[in-house]
Amino acid sequence: MAATPGGFSGKVLRVDLSTGKISTEDTVEKYGDVLGGTGLGYRVLWEEVPPGVGSFDPANKLVFATGVLAGTGVPCNGRTAVTTIFPTCWPRQLVGSGHMGGQFAAKLKYAGFDAIIVEGRSERPVWLFIRDARVELRSAAHLWGTGIRRASLEISQEMGADCVVAAIGQAGEQLAPMAIVANSLSHSAGGVGGVMGSKNLKAIGVQGSGAVKIAGDKGEWEKLIKFHLSILGGNNQHVVPSFPTPQSEYYNPGSRWVGEPGRRWGAAEPPVEITGNIFDLNRIAYRTNSAAFFLGEGAWRHTVRGNGCTACPIRCHTVVKVPSVAAKYGIREVAQNTCTGLLFGRSFFKRLPGGMQGQAALEACMVGMHLADDLGVWCNYGQLQRDLQKLYYDGLLKTKLGAAEYASIPWDKYEAGDPAFLFDILPRIGERRGELGQVLSQGTGGLFTHWSIPEETWARDHNTLYWKQGHPKHHANEDDGQCGVIINTQYNRDSQCHSHSNFVRNGLPLAVQKKLAAEVWGSPDAVDGVGNYTPMNVHKARRARWSLVRKELHDSLGLCNWMGPWVASPLKERGYRGDDSLESRFYSLATGQKLDREALDRAGERIFTLHRALTLRGMGEVDLRAQHDLTPHWVFADPSGAAPFSKGAIRMDEADISRGMDQFYEVMGWDRATGAPTMETYARLGLKDVGADLKARKLVPGDPA
Amino acid sequence: MSGQHPEQLPELVRLAASAAGMEASLSRRGFLLLSACAVTSLAALGLCEALGAGAPLVILDNAQGMILADPSRCVGCQRCELACTEFNDGRAQPSLSRIKIDRALNFGPAGPTGGSTGGSIGGSGMQGLWGNGLVVQGVCRQCPHPVPCATACPEDAIQADPRTGARVVDAKKCVGCRLCQRACPWGMISFDEERQKASKCFLCDGRPKCVEACPAGALRYVPWRDLTREGQTVQTPLAVLSAAKAKACMECHVPARRKPKAR
């Protein structure tokens, strides 16, 4: 592809830590057909990292890649995909991506780079300095051993106030598979911190003063951005409020649009009352309050404001101020994060005095954020905490761990729900101290191996939410029946896909959702009510395909799949329709290269198929259906014995899911027996060379084994 | 300024500096009324020449409106910066933005070397993400006379927009010398490296894009008032005046003995 007059910054930075060589290559020419983000990461791994390379081998590469729309004013951009051979993927390490928001993506674009490919291994700890075209490796000797905050501050001192720093903490330095890299205080990419540590790369600091150019007419660009803003809902694109109001036809208590007029950011000085019209575009930032959504209405009085990624009006990283933790635990009273990051500390406990939304819960969250986001420990979507609960409460830990170490852990505090417990357990994990710290920092798969626990033990227990390959479910059957199950079979970590759940959980009545589904996926039967599932049909398979393609598209354009896609809206006058072609319209205007919805979706499918090809090659196994696309037993069981498709049951039926996989493989153009893409599919997506390579390895269906 | 009277230079600078802070809140109209002297005596002082065609325009009418920013509502999303540059310049570039968020986002004016980042712990009062969470937006005050950026411009390229009174850069006149950038105490002049021109808030001709873009209602477009005594400055302005400008200043700011006696 030829260079475009806008959207892309134009260059990919390549840093060889073994030799210190720093070079650049042309983004569009080399990676244009896979856009950026995960697409660019998968392409680099496909071309440059042979199968069998382990996560911490110097031959593994680490690709920080953003996309065309990052750094622009397109709402909900700001994402960076970090793609590598994923350390927590078990029993064999395969391709995977962590994703981070914050200010990193925009700054990298302004510095002139769409991506950074990190390769090799430095002899000594270094950090990467990027100030526009000036790129240097600097010594990190003074930073090694420090937490993420200390490292980020000292690099900021060296670079200036307007830099962004993505750093690892002690966990990453010590090659913990359960380690993050984080920027802008709270925005982290999970699982990849140890890969940075293995390369002796402490951090990347970026300052950028350049521009992301918009190739198209600026008036049209402005119009499209305003349109996009008009169809936004709250966090996760929930398009109706959680509260009844005369301003809205519908409401849904499960919605993350919690900013009801009359609520206040109680810890702002002076407090900010939420007033006015909830649809007002100058009020979008008040719709979402993650602290209030997860911790209950008491969190409103601790709310300072919303925060989040560059250009995102949703602000899902709520800034909270809890003065009591300063005196009680000697930690900062201001913290911020969202979802599992916000709940990091609370999630360790089975019980807390005052319940899961009480004061102790809030304090546990504060202590958790304080420790985990500094040590750089990953939660694997809460699996870390669920693993500890299962190990402890099932009595496994007592039998596995040496008596002295077991006795050294303040289990009384754990059982009592005392947040002070976190000061013991989190440093153990982050600094990999003792057997328990070592084991938990490896992730669930490492735990199975180390203590010879059969995977079944987890996969049969619904409470673990464990799915496969060392990772948990992420919006599966509890949200979206067969669609959720299919999506959860596809990745080598938790699936990180929200295209499907953001629609079914958007809060609109099922009748409205079905009307929209008919327009977008061709049939009202593409969607069921949550917990009121009907047997599988091909429309659901199409929606699963669409969801996965859009996820990869967002991850490759720098957009947030926690917010997109935007096929529903809060607008009654539009019949609650969103816009299915938004991404392609933005792409076309930004780059000046006109791609319609189908063409851009094809790029998304190409990217997803590249991920599939990498998985095939990494496993050396063509029958992904039997060996990879697995569903844990608990999905097919109901604790009270309810039958599949009975109202209120989320359990699935095994034969029905098997039929679902058939239909999914078919709509993907994959072989039904093995779930492997056919040569025709590779060719259709412009991946003939990939197909040919796999054919030579006997990893294309139809080949004699 | 190296012309015929180099020995007068310090005096010129002294006079120019003493002018700063005088009659700060007066519009040109107010200045004329307050002077309360006959037009003839003004003419004798050369003010008419200062205001006339060809001569450097030193005194600008007050702006009619300004952008008012409330830090306690700012959510740090930079949508204002992006609206400013995308909708006006067709590119996303916070460094070019005429409203400044990026520089205040992480640490506030104290910067990363400014001390504790512990919120209230350690109590240094650091702002931004690393401090108490507060983001203090940088906005152009559309200064009253003497307008530092306009006064500093040797090309007289910064003038009052006839519709809004905003102090705007005339790109045709701007030669890219960056003196205006050094003159603004609040660091509100941007420099477009691509075009080699200075750029500043021009209130988007009365419909500021940033105000419209703020998802938290933290920005308002309100009738002008003098904000030059409020907020932290970010730099010590460089007091360099072109000889012609300085001469024009001195035509009003005359030695007391030459002034017509009040009453």
Side-chain angles (χ1 to χ4, degrees), chain A residues 600-631:
Chain A
L600 194 64
D601 277 354
R602 200 152 45 244
E605 193 184 348
R606 181 180 304 129
I607 294 162
F608 180 56
T609 305
L610 207 46
H611 178 274
R612 192 71 170 173
L614 276 162
T615 302
L616 279 159
R617 198 181 67 176
M619 289 182 69
E621 166 67 64
V622 71
D623 191 0
L624 293 196
R625 178 169 193 151
Q627 304 296 327
H628 180 273
D629 297 351
L630 304 172
T631 301

mmCIF file of all heavy atoms in Angstrom, chain A residues 600-631:
data_model
loop_
_atom_site.group_PDB
_atom_site.id
_atom_site.type_symbol
_atom_site.label_atom_id
_atom_site.label_comp_id
_atom_site.label_asym_id
_atom_site.label_seq_id
_atom_site.Cartn_x
_atom_site.Cartn_y
_atom_site.Cartn_z
ATOM 1 N N LEU A 600 -13.332 -2.627 5.104
ATOM 2 C CA LEU A 600 -12.617 -2.499 6.382
ATOM 3 C C LEU A 600 -12.847 -3.752 7.239
ATOM 4 O O LEU A 600 -11.922 -4.232 7.909
ATOM 5 C CB LEU A 600 -13.046 -1.240 7.127
ATOM 6 C CG LEU A 600 -12.121 -0.855 8.288
ATOM 7 C CD1 LEU A 600 -10.717 -0.504 7.793
ATOM 8 C CD2 LEU A 600 -12.682 0.320 9.080
ATOM 9 N N ASP A 601 -14.063 -4.275 7.218
ATOM 10 C CA ASP A 601 -14.320 -5.515 7.949
ATOM 11 C C ASP A 601 -13.451 -6.652 7.415
ATOM 12 O O ASP A 601 -13.033 -7.539 8.161
ATOM 13 C CB ASP A 601 -15.803 -5.905 7.859
ATOM 14 C CG ASP A 601 -16.642 -5.168 8.907
ATOM 15 O OD1 ASP A 601 -16.052 -4.466 9.752
ATOM 16 O OD2 ASP A 601 -17.882 -5.276 8.873
ATOM 17 N N ARG A 602 -13.200 -6.628 6.106
ATOM 18 C CA ARG A 602 -12.335 -7.650 5.538
ATOM 19 C C ARG A 602 -10.925 -7.535 6.131
ATOM 20 O O ARG A 602 -10.275 -8.534 6.412
ATOM 21 C CB ARG A 602 -12.299 -7.539 4.006
ATOM 22 C CG ARG A 602 -11.842 -8.805 3.317
ATOM 23 C CD ARG A 602 -12.409 -8.986 1.920
ATOM 24 N NE ARG A 602 -12.348 -7.781 1.111
ATOM 25 C CZ ARG A 602 -13.423 -7.128 0.663
ATOM 26 N NH1 ARG A 602 -14.638 -7.575 0.919
ATOM 27 N NH2 ARG A 602 -13.289 -6.029 -0.051
ATOM 28 N N ALA A 603 -10.479 -6.305 6.335
ATOM 29 C CA ALA A 603 -9.173 -6.121 6.989
ATOM 30 C C ALA A 603 -9.214 -6.695 8.400
ATOM 31 O O ALA A 603 -8.270 -7.348 8.848
ATOM 32 C CB ALA A 603 -8.790 -4.646 7.004
ATOM 33 N N GLY A 604 -10.325 -6.454 9.102
ATOM 34 C CA GLY A 604 -10.485 -7.013 10.449
ATOM 35 C C GLY A 604 -10.449 -8.527 10.417
ATOM 36 O O GLY A 604 -9.835 -9.177 11.274
ATOM 37 N N GLU A 605 -11.102 -9.104 9.430
ATOM 38 C CA GLU A 605 -11.131 -10.560 9.295
ATOM 39 C C GLU A 605 -9.740 -11.089 8.954
ATOM 40 O O GLU A 605 -9.322 -12.150 9.434
ATOM 41 C CB GLU A 605 -12.135 -10.953 8.206
ATOM 42 C CG GLU A 605 -12.459 -12.427 8.230
ATOM 43 C CD GLU A 605 -13.376 -12.847 7.091
ATOM 44 O OE1 GLU A 605 -13.940 -11.949 6.415
ATOM 45 O OE2 GLU A 605 -13.517 -14.059 6.854
ATOM 46 N N ARG A 606 -9.031 -10.331 8.127
ATOM 47 C CA ARG A 606 -7.653 -10.715 7.785
ATOM 48 C C ARG A 606 -6.802 -10.786 9.052
ATOM 49 O O ARG A 606 -6.039 -11.734 9.275
ATOM 50 C CB ARG A 606 -7.078 -9.671 6.810
ATOM 51 C CG ARG A 606 -5.658 -9.934 6.346
ATOM 52 C CD ARG A 606 -5.189 -8.844 5.372
ATOM 53 N NE ARG A 606 -6.092 -8.712 4.240
ATOM 54 C CZ ARG A 606 -6.634 -7.570 3.808
ATOM 55 N NH1 ARG A 606 -6.338 -6.433 4.408
ATOM 56 N NH2 ARG A 606 -7.458 -7.548 2.787
ATOM 57 N N ILE A 607 -6.973 -9.789 9.887
ATOM 58 C CA ILE A 607 -6.198 -9.719 11.129
ATOM 59 C C ILE A 607 -6.548 -10.885 12.053
ATOM 60 O O ILE A 607 -5.672 -11.564 12.595
ATOM 61 C CB ILE A 607 -6.446 -8.359 11.820
ATOM 62 C CG1 ILE A 607 -5.883 -7.223 10.957
ATOM 63 C CG2 ILE A 607 -5.860 -8.333 13.214
ATOM 64 C CD1 ILE A 607 -6.420 -5.849 11.305
ATOM 65 N N PHE A 608 -7.849 -11.140 12.182
ATOM 66 C CA PHE A 608 -8.291 -12.239 13.045
ATOM 67 C C PHE A 608 -7.787 -13.581 12.499
ATOM 68 O O PHE A 608 -7.391 -14.476 13.252
ATOM 69 C CB PHE A 608 -9.824 -12.221 13.155
ATOM 70 C CG PHE A 608 -10.380 -13.304 14.026
ATOM 71 C CD1 PHE A 608 -9.951 -13.434 15.348
ATOM 72 C CD2 PHE A 608 -11.321 -14.197 13.556
ATOM 73 C CE1 PHE A 608 -10.461 -14.429 16.164
ATOM 74 C CE2 PHE A 608 -11.835 -15.196 14.366
ATOM 75 C CZ PHE A 608 -11.403 -15.319 15.671
ATOM 76 N N THR A 609 -7.775 -13.702 11.195
ATOM 77 C CA THR A 609 -7.312 -14.945 10.573
ATOM 78 C C THR A 609 -5.802 -15.129 10.761
ATOM 79 O O THR A 609 -5.307 -16.245 10.916
ATOM 80 C CB THR A 609 -7.684 -14.957 9.078
ATOM 81 O OG1 THR A 609 -9.099 -14.738 8.980
ATOM 82 C CG2 THR A 609 -7.340 -16.270 8.412
ATOM 83 N N LEU A 610 -5.097 -14.015 10.781
ATOM 84 C CA LEU A 610 -3.659 -14.075 11.055
ATOM 85 C C LEU A 610 -3.407 -14.596 12.478
ATOM 86 O O LEU A 610 -2.475 -15.373 12.719
ATOM 87 C CB LEU A 610 -3.073 -12.667 10.867
ATOM 88 C CG LEU A 610 -1.622 -12.496 10.468
ATOM 89 C CD1 LEU A 610 -1.205 -13.423 9.335
ATOM 90 C CD2 LEU A 610 -1.371 -11.029 10.062
ATOM 91 N N HIS A 611 -4.254 -14.173 13.396
ATOM 92 C CA HIS A 611 -4.175 -14.684 14.768
ATOM 93 C C HIS A 611 -4.421 -16.202 14.775
ATOM 94 O O HIS A 611 -3.727 -16.955 15.457
ATOM 95 C CB HIS A 611 -5.203 -13.970 15.649
ATOM 96 C CG HIS A 611 -5.239 -14.455 17.064
ATOM 97 N ND1 HIS A 611 -5.989 -15.537 17.471
ATOM 98 C CD2 HIS A 611 -4.598 -14.008 18.175
ATOM 99 C CE1 HIS A 611 -5.805 -15.732 18.767
ATOM 100 N NE2 HIS A 611 -4.969 -14.829 19.221
ATOM 101 N N ARG A 612 -5.395 -16.611 13.973
ATOM 102 C CA ARG A 612 -5.708 -18.037 13.870
ATOM 103 C C ARG A 612 -4.512 -18.802 13.296
ATOM 104 O O ARG A 612 -4.146 -19.882 13.777
ATOM 105 C CB ARG A 612 -6.941 -18.213 12.969
ATOM 106 C CG ARG A 612 -7.567 -19.580 12.965
ATOM 107 C CD ARG A 612 -8.264 -19.876 14.264
ATOM 108 N NE ARG A 612 -9.070 -21.082 14.203
ATOM 109 C CZ ARG A 612 -9.663 -21.621 15.262
ATOM 110 N NH1 ARG A 612 -9.530 -21.059 16.453
ATOM 111 N NH2 ARG A 612 -10.389 -22.709 15.133
ATOM 112 N N ALA A 613 -3.907 -18.214 12.280
ATOM 113 C CA ALA A 613 -2.753 -18.864 11.639
ATOM 114 C C ALA A 613 -1.586 -18.991 12.625
ATOM 115 O O ALA A 613 -0.906 -20.015 12.673
ATOM 116 C CB ALA A 613 -2.330 -18.072 10.409
ATOM 117 N N LEU A 614 -1.375 -17.952 13.407
ATOM 118 C CA LEU A 614 -0.297 -17.990 14.403
ATOM 119 C C LEU A 614 -0.571 -19.069 15.450
ATOM 120 O O LEU A 614 0.348 -19.757 15.909
ATOM 121 C CB LEU A 614 -0.168 -16.625 15.093
ATOM 122 C CG LEU A 614 0.667 -15.588 14.364
ATOM 123 C CD1 LEU A 614 0.360 -14.189 14.891
ATOM 124 C CD2 LEU A 614 2.166 -15.878 14.529
ATOM 125 N N THR A 615 -1.833 -19.213 15.810
ATOM 126 C CA THR A 615 -2.200 -20.232 16.790
ATOM 127 C C THR A 615 -1.964 -21.623 16.212
ATOM 128 O O THR A 615 -1.418 -22.504 16.884
ATOM 129 C CB THR A 615 -3.671 -20.039 17.219
ATOM 130 O OG1 THR A 615 -3.813 -18.711 17.753
ATOM 131 C CG2 THR A 615 -4.081 -21.037 18.281
ATOM 132 N N LEU A 616 -2.384 -21.807 14.954
ATOM 133 C CA LEU A 616 -2.144 -23.089 14.282
ATOM 134 C C LEU A 616 -0.659 -23.416 14.255
ATOM 135 O O LEU A 616 -0.231 -24.519 14.613
ATOM 136 C CB LEU A 616 -2.661 -23.010 12.838
ATOM 137 C CG LEU A 616 -4.165 -23.221 12.620
ATOM 138 C CD1 LEU A 616 -4.587 -22.627 11.289
ATOM 139 C CD2 LEU A 616 -4.509 -24.706 12.666
ATOM 140 N N ARG A 617 0.136 -22.449 13.814
ATOM 141 C CA ARG A 617 1.570 -22.672 13.676
ATOM 142 C C ARG A 617 2.219 -22.906 15.034
ATOM 143 O O ARG A 617 3.089 -23.766 15.192
ATOM 144 C CB ARG A 617 2.226 -21.486 12.966
ATOM 145 C CG ARG A 617 3.583 -21.788 12.396
ATOM 146 C CD ARG A 617 4.206 -20.580 11.716
ATOM 147 N NE ARG A 617 4.524 -19.528 12.673
ATOM 148 C CZ ARG A 617 5.150 -18.394 12.336
ATOM 149 N NH1 ARG A 617 5.462 -18.158 11.068
ATOM 150 N NH2 ARG A 617 5.416 -17.478 13.237
ATOM 151 N N GLY A 618 1.778 -22.122 16.017
ATOM 152 C CA GLY A 618 2.346 -22.246 17.362
ATOM 153 C C GLY A 618 2.045 -23.596 17.979
ATOM 154 O O GLY A 618 2.875 -24.181 18.681
ATOM 155 N N MET A 619 0.824 -24.104 17.730
ATOM 156 C CA MET A 619 0.452 -25.397 18.316
ATOM 157 C C MET A 619 0.957 -26.563 17.476
ATOM 158 O O MET A 619 1.064 -27.687 17.982
ATOM 159 C CB MET A 619 -1.069 -25.492 18.455
ATOM 160 C CG MET A 619 -1.613 -24.580 19.543
ATOM 161 S SD MET A 619 -3.400 -24.703 19.785
ATOM 162 C CE MET A 619 -3.568 -26.331 20.493
ATOM 163 N N GLY A 620 1.226 -26.280 16.204
ATOM 164 C CA GLY A 620 1.647 -27.352 15.313
ATOM 165 C C GLY A 620 0.559 -28.402 15.179
ATOM 166 O O GLY A 620 0.819 -29.607 15.078
ATOM 167 N N GLU A 621 -0.661 -27.943 15.173
ATOM 168 C CA GLU A 621 -1.822 -28.836 15.276
ATOM 169 C C GLU A 621 -2.923 -28.249 14.410
ATOM 170 O O GLU A 621 -3.262 -27.073 14.552
ATOM 171 C CB GLU A 621 -2.241 -28.873 16.748
ATOM 172 C CG GLU A 621 -3.596 -29.450 17.043
ATOM 173 C CD GLU A 621 -3.676 -30.930 16.734
ATOM 174 O OE1 GLU A 621 -2.956 -31.718 17.382
ATOM 175 O OE2 GLU A 621 -4.441 -31.286 15.815
ATOM 176 N N VAL A 622 -3.449 -29.074 13.488
ATOM 177 C CA VAL A 622 -4.487 -28.533 12.609
ATOM 178 C C VAL A 622 -5.874 -28.612 13.248
ATOM 179 O O VAL A 622 -6.743 -27.784 12.979
ATOM 180 C CB VAL A 622 -4.469 -29.238 11.226
ATOM 181 C CG1 VAL A 622 -4.983 -30.677 11.332
ATOM 182 C CG2 VAL A 622 -5.286 -28.463 10.195
ATOM 183 N N ASP A 623 -6.060 -29.566 14.140
ATOM 184 C CA ASP A 623 -7.398 -29.759 14.687
ATOM 185 C C ASP A 623 -7.641 -28.823 15.877
ATOM 186 O O ASP A 623 -7.677 -29.244 17.029
ATOM 187 C CB ASP A 623 -7.592 -31.225 15.093
ATOM 188 C CG ASP A 623 -9.051 -31.519 15.406
ATOM 189 O OD1 ASP A 623 -9.886 -30.579 15.303
ATOM 190 O OD2 ASP A 623 -9.363 -32.667 15.756
ATOM 191 N N LEU A 624 -7.807 -27.560 15.571
ATOM 192 C CA LEU A 624 -8.034 -26.595 16.654
ATOM 193 C C LEU A 624 -9.388 -26.846 17.315
ATOM 194 O O LEU A 624 -9.587 -26.537 18.478
ATOM 195 C CB LEU A 624 -7.958 -25.162 16.124
ATOM 196 C CG LEU A 624 -6.587 -24.689 15.642
ATOM 197 C CD1 LEU A 624 -6.565 -23.167 15.512
ATOM 198 C CD2 LEU A 624 -5.462 -25.113 16.579
ATOM 199 N N ARG A 625 -10.314 -27.375 16.554
ATOM 200 C CA ARG A 625 -11.632 -27.655 17.126
ATOM 201 C C ARG A 625 -11.515 -28.546 18.358
ATOM 202 O O ARG A 625 -12.117 -28.265 19.396
ATOM 203 C CB ARG A 625 -12.539 -28.319 16.075
ATOM 204 C CG ARG A 625 -13.885 -28.670 16.650
ATOM 205 C CD ARG A 625 -14.897 -29.071 15.612
ATOM 206 N NE ARG A 625 -16.218 -29.077 16.254
ATOM 207 C CZ ARG A 625 -17.352 -28.836 15.657
ATOM 208 N NH1 ARG A 625 -17.368 -28.554 14.370
ATOM 209 N NH2 ARG A 625 -18.473 -28.848 16.320
ATOM 210 N N ALA A 626 -10.715 -29.580 18.241
ATOM 211 C CA ALA A 626 -10.590 -30.526 19.356
ATOM 212 C C ALA A 626 -9.539 -30.100 20.375
ATOM 213 O O ALA A 626 -9.634 -30.419 21.549
ATOM 214 C CB ALA A 626 -10.247 -31.918 18.820
ATOM 215 N N GLN A 627 -8.539 -29.361 19.898
ATOM 216 C CA GLN A 627 -7.394 -29.087 20.774
ATOM 217 C C GLN A 627 -7.352 -27.665 21.332
ATOM 218 O O GLN A 627 -6.604 -27.383 22.257
ATOM 219 C CB GLN A 627 -6.083 -29.345 20.004
ATOM 220 C CG GLN A 627 -5.968 -30.737 19.428
ATOM 221 C CD GLN A 627 -5.936 -31.809 20.510
ATOM 222 O OE1 GLN A 627 -5.422 -31.589 21.599
ATOM 223 N NE2 GLN A 627 -6.523 -32.961 20.214
ATOM 224 N N HIS A 628 -8.114 -26.779 20.750
ATOM 225 C CA HIS A 628 -7.989 -25.380 21.150
ATOM 226 C C HIS A 628 -9.312 -24.700 21.493
ATOM 227 O O HIS A 628 -9.412 -23.993 22.492
ATOM 228 C CB HIS A 628 -7.295 -24.580 20.022
ATOM 229 C CG HIS A 628 -7.127 -23.133 20.334
ATOM 230 N ND1 HIS A 628 -8.103 -22.185 20.078
ATOM 231 C CD2 HIS A 628 -6.095 -22.442 20.891
ATOM 232 C CE1 HIS A 628 -7.688 -20.996 20.450
ATOM 233 N NE2 HIS A 628 -6.474 -21.119 20.950
ATOM 234 N N ASP A 629 -10.320 -24.915 20.649
ATOM 235 C CA ASP A 629 -11.576 -24.158 20.792
ATOM 236 C C ASP A 629 -12.470 -24.801 21.850
ATOM 237 O O ASP A 629 -13.578 -25.252 21.561
ATOM 238 C CB ASP A 629 -12.304 -24.101 19.438
ATOM 239 C CG ASP A 629 -11.487 -23.360 18.392
ATOM 240 O OD1 ASP A 629 -10.459 -22.746 18.755
ATOM 241 O OD2 ASP A 629 -11.879 -23.377 17.212
ATOM 242 N N LEU A 630 -11.973 -24.828 23.064
ATOM 243 C CA LEU A 630 -12.615 -25.625 24.101
ATOM 244 C C LEU A 630 -13.517 -24.802 25.012
ATOM 245 O O LEU A 630 -13.339 -23.597 25.160
ATOM 246 C CB LEU A 630 -11.536 -26.327 24.933
ATOM 247 C CG LEU A 630 -10.579 -27.201 24.098
ATOM 248 C CD1 LEU A 630 -9.432 -27.708 24.972
ATOM 249 C CD2 LEU A 630 -11.318 -28.361 23.442
ATOM 250 N N THR A 631 -14.438 -25.512 25.610
ATOM 251 C CA THR A 631 -15.381 -24.905 26.547
ATOM 252 C C THR A 631 -15.310 -25.683 27.852
ATOM 253 O O THR A 631 -15.328 -26.920 27.828
ATOM 254 C CB THR A 631 -16.809 -24.989 25.961
ATOM 255 O OG1 THR A 631 -16.820 -24.312 24.711
ATOM 256 C CG2 THR A 631 -17.825 -24.333 26.884
#
